[in-house]
Amino acid sequence: MLVCVFEGKEQWVVKEVDPPDLGEDEVLIQVKAAGICGTDIHILRAEYFQDFPIIAGHEFSGQVVEVGRKVSQFKVGDRVTADPNIFCDRCYFCKINKNNHCLNAQAVGVTRSGAFAELVAVPEKCIFPIPENLTFAEAALAEPLACVVYGAKRSGIQPGEKVLIFGAGPIGLLLLALYKVYGASQIVVVDVSEKKLAKAKEWGADLVVLADGTEDKLIREISPLGFELVVDATGIPRVQENELQFIQPDGTYLLFGVAPVGSQMTIDPYFIFRNDVRILGSYAVKKTMQYAINLLTQGKIPVKELVSASYPLPQFGQALQEVLHNPDRLKIQIHFA
Ligand SMILES: [Zn+2]
Ligand SMILES: [Zn+2]
């Protein structure tokens, strides 16, 4: 089968390898669509907890082509997507319902072979059926949406509160869509790309702010007393440290964007103390995949608009170039015939 292997830091190759061995509790999926995520870029740059060589790709959908002996819920031909996070269900954190902090966690496309490949083997417990009305391209966005559902559940907001989102990429837009569902009274979105901001407007942002150096002043004018919720969807530490100032007293900061492992940001501890600030992380997915699929199935979030371009696997290099160098792009996917 044809795969893209990340062989080491900044090194990748598209090549033929043997199909994966299928465990008795695993399902073999013929991949139809796989999104390239910021995390994949961190993996390629050795800024994550990856193991090289690795076939990356953790946002995907496809069709079942084989099932292991113990698989009971799926059959050949089923259309599916997957939660790439594999939890042991036995360790301390799994037993107290903190599965996403499983001490023995594996992840498809991070610690084991992923979906930048014609075939991917995934444990049955991680697989979810997708309805006929969802395309494979849409279903491949269920995983990022599941991450966003988890983050939104953690940060909450009450109807009428104000939200400020930094970053209008696919994650920022998904957060925007969800906080609208939560009943925010005003959502302001900040980004460096005018095209992305135009999309944020289409998706219901009340105001958008171009990050051209004048944004701090503009944000202050929009809401002089700050926002109940400030969300980072940029993953850039120097942007993140500037975001805190916009949090209202007793407000919440959701750090959603993935910064490189070991990077630093500067925080004024007195500001956190004086303003009763709550700082939250949001790691991966915790039992929110089905909710993401439910939202997609009911057409609540127009995710197909998030796909800027899709390339066949042999053109992985072009796809990567676009991810790295086109500031206006949203989700770039790899597709298979
Ligand atoms: Zn991802
Ligand atoms: Zn565990």
Side-chain angles (χ1 to χ4, degrees), residues 87-91 94 102-104:
F87 306 133
C88 77
D89 300 323
R90 291 170 180 81
C91 74
C94 281
C102 170
L103 295 167
N104 308 303

Side-chain angles (χ1 to χ4, degrees), residues 37 39 58-59 143:
C37 171
T39 302
H58 59 270
E59 307 176 351
E143 192 273 344

Side-chain angles (χ1 to χ4, degrees), residues 87-126:
F87 306 133
C88 77
D89 300 323
R90 291 170 180 81
C91 74
Y92 183 86
F93 290 129
C94 281
K95 282 181 171 162
I96 58 171
N97 199 30
K98 296 185 180 181
N99 305 63
N100 57 330
H101 298 287
C102 170
L103 295 167
N104 308 303
Q106 297 282 319
V108 175
V110 182
T111 65
R112 55 180 268 164
S113 294
F116 298 147
E118 288 177 294
L119 298 167
V120 62
V122 182
E124 177 185 22
K125 67 174 183 171
C126 300

